[in-house]
């Protein structure tokens, strides 16, 4: 009886090993089929990477839609009217001309805001939209706003500005 008990236990142990081996090998192969591996992360597929790159490209394209650097018609106008070839240098010249008004004790006059309390309004961000318009953000440290400006290139090469519209965001009422 003792021999038959050991025989039954041996058969059960062999069957358990066979079923366990079969279970883990089939589980591993099904995981490999469902998630293809990449070099760094086995959970990222090439389709996911391609979609991410496409989404980032679309966002970049949307962000640069209104910019002088990507507007061929505006660049042609600048070349024909003022003989400006170097657009990045010209854009920097316009930005510096606008930011130079921040040094005024009353603040930048192109924010369309008067000095409130002891803090003056200064322009912090500038983006050239095309050959004629600039959008800028400004702040006095407590209030923030945006202004749309026209700019002109004078005969002597100087830059002049004209306020088209300005908006000051309301202070938080918390």
């Amino acid at each position: 009886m003792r021999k038959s008990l050991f025989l039954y236990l041996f058969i059960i142990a062999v069957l358990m090993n066979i079923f366990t081996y079969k279970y883990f090998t089939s589980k591993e192969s099904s995981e490999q089929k469902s998630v293809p591996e990449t070099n760094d992360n086995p959970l990222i597929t090439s389709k996911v990477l391609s979609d991410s790159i496409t989404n980032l490209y679309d966002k970049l394209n949307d962000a640069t839609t209104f910019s002088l650097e990507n507007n061929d018609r505006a660049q042609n106008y600048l070349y024909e009217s003022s003989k400006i070839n170097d657009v990045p240098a010209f854009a920097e010249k316009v930005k510096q001309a606008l930011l130079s008004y921040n040094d005024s004790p009353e603040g930048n006059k192109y924010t369309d805001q008067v000095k409130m309390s002891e803090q003056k309004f200064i322009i912090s961000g500038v983006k050239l939209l095309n050959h004629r318009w600039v959008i800028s953000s400004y702040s006095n440290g407590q209030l923030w706003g945006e202004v749309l400006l026209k700019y002109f290139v004078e005969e002597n090469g100087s830059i002049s500005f004209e306020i088209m519209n300005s908006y000051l965001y309301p202070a938080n009422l918390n």
Side-chain angles (χ1 to χ4, degrees):
M1 172 152 154
R2 196 173 195 181
K3 286 185 179 181
S4 63
L5 180 66
F6 284 123
L7 181 65
Y8 289 130
L9 287 175
F10 178 73
I11 292 173
I12 291 173
V14 169
L15 288 174
M16 290 288 284
N17 284 337
I18 291 172
F19 287 126
T20 305
Y21 173 77
K22 182 71 174 162
Y23 171 75
F24 283 116
T25 55
S26 66
K27 182 179 176 185
E28 184 179 316
S29 67
S30 68
E31 285 177 355
Q32 286 178 353
K33 288 179 186 174
S34 65
V35 181
E37 291 188 19
T38 60
N39 292 340
D40 296 335
N41 190 347
L43 299 177
I44 298 176
T45 64
S46 61
K47 179 158 178 51
V48 170
L49 290 174
S50 175
D51 289 346
S52 297
I53 291 171
T54 302
N55 288 340
L56 287 174
Y57 179 77
D58 290 343
K59 285 181 182 180
L60 177 64
N61 194 21
D62 289 343
T64 59
T65 297
F66 293 104
S67 69
L68 179 61
E69 289 82 10
N70 294 327
N71 189 337
D72 291 335
R73 290 184 181 126
Q75 290 177 12
N76 289 339
Y77 176 83
L78 284 173
Y79 177 73
E80 290 173 8
S81 66
S82 305
K83 301 298 182 214
I84 295 172
N85 282 332
D86 190 5
V87 173
F90 173 74
E92 187 61 30
K93 179 180 177 181
V94 173
K95 289 178 186 179
Q96 293 305 319
L98 185 57
L99 292 175
S100 68
Y101 291 100
N102 285 346
D103 296 335
S104 170
E106 295 299 313
N108 195 317
K109 67 181 180 179
Y110 292 111
T111 61
D112 201 26
Q113 303 296 325
V114 294
K115 186 176 178 181
M116 296 181 193
S117 69
E118 65 273 353
Q119 295 294 324
K120 63 183 182 177
F121 283 97
I122 61 170
I123 291 179
S124 57
V126 178
K127 180 173 181 173
L128 275 72
L129 300 178
N130 58 21
H131 65 286
R132 187 60 62 215
W133 298 335
V134 174
I135 190 166
S136 298
S137 60
Y138 60 88
S139 172
N140 71 349
Q142 298 171 345
L143 299 171
W144 291 265
E146 294 169 348
V147 63
L148 184 63
L149 302 166
K150 276 186 183 180
Y151 71 92
F152 304 94
V153 180
E154 303 297 333
E155 292 288 328
N156 61 4
S158 65
I159 309 292
S160 63
F161 299 96
E162 176 184 312
I163 298 171
M164 293 178 61
N165 203 348
S166 176
Y167 184 77
L168 182 65
Y169 292 102
N172 291 339
L173 302 174
N174 295 337

